[in-house]
Amino acid sequence: AIEAEEEAAAAATSKEALEAHAGCPPLRHSGLRACRYKSDAPGFVTLASGRRVACEEHNDVGLLTLDPRASVPGLQAFRQSSRRWVDLEGGQGEAAEETEGLLTVMVGDTLAAVSGGEYTSCRHRVLAPEEGEERVGL
């Protein structure tokens, strides 16, 4: 009987919450964005290594960014301790064994601010795909 009362209360609360937000505009601060980078797109910045940057270095504004591994590697983060860019998608060098997962979680500016600096924003960028390839990421 107690479980039935709890379920009824939860259902009523959920219904009230939905009705209370029925007239509100949709949330615009979250979402899913697909990014497509072609190897022949104009305007890429070329690094000293010859690689091209498709998306300039930046921090994301929100709390967290969940970034599934893209179709072609290219996501890099700036590692403060070594002052170097490291590959986050099965790259080479010092980060190769650390990046075998399928999802990258990056701290955004909002979480850095509300945590009082306990967490720091993840500075990152995306390298252009190699000639003839296309990179699609979410």
Side-chain angles (χ1 to χ4, degrees):
I2 294 175
E3 289 178 14
E5 290 175 8
E6 289 175 348
E7 286 178 19
T13 302
S14 296
K15 184 178 177 187
E16 289 170 7
L18 288 173
E19 289 173 354
H21 295 289
C24 295
L27 295 175
R28 300 196 191 282
H29 61 273
S30 64
L32 179 63
R33 180 174 50 173
C35 300
R36 181 179 176 199
Y37 306 97
K38 292 184 171 187
S39 61
D40 60 350
F44 290 159
V45 174
T46 302
L47 303 172
S49 66
R51 294 291 308 265
R52 296 180 311 141
V53 177
C55 181
E56 292 288 330
E57 62 182 83
H58 65 283
N59 297 342
D60 291 339
V61 176
L63 289 171
L64 294 171
T65 297
L66 305 176
D67 197 350
R69 182 175 292 213
S71 59
V72 173
L75 181 63
Q76 292 186 321
F78 188 74
R79 182 175 281 170
Q80 286 290 349
S81 61
S82 63
R83 311 269 318 144
R84 292 178 173 220
W85 288 97
V86 294
D87 296 313
L88 297 180
E89 297 172 316
Q92 299 175 3
E94 68 180 278
E97 292 183 18
E98 300 171 23
T99 60
E100 292 302 316
L102 297 176
L103 181 72
T104 300
V105 179
M106 295 181 282
V107 172
D109 290 340
T110 302
L111 182 56
V114 299
S115 72
E118 183 71 23
Y119 299 100
T120 56
S121 299
C122 180
R123 192 120 191 105
H124 59 283
R125 68 184 182 188
V126 178
L127 298 181
E130 296 293 334
E131 191 65 36
E133 292 185 319
E134 179 177 272
R135 174 186 162 83
V136 178
L138 298 177

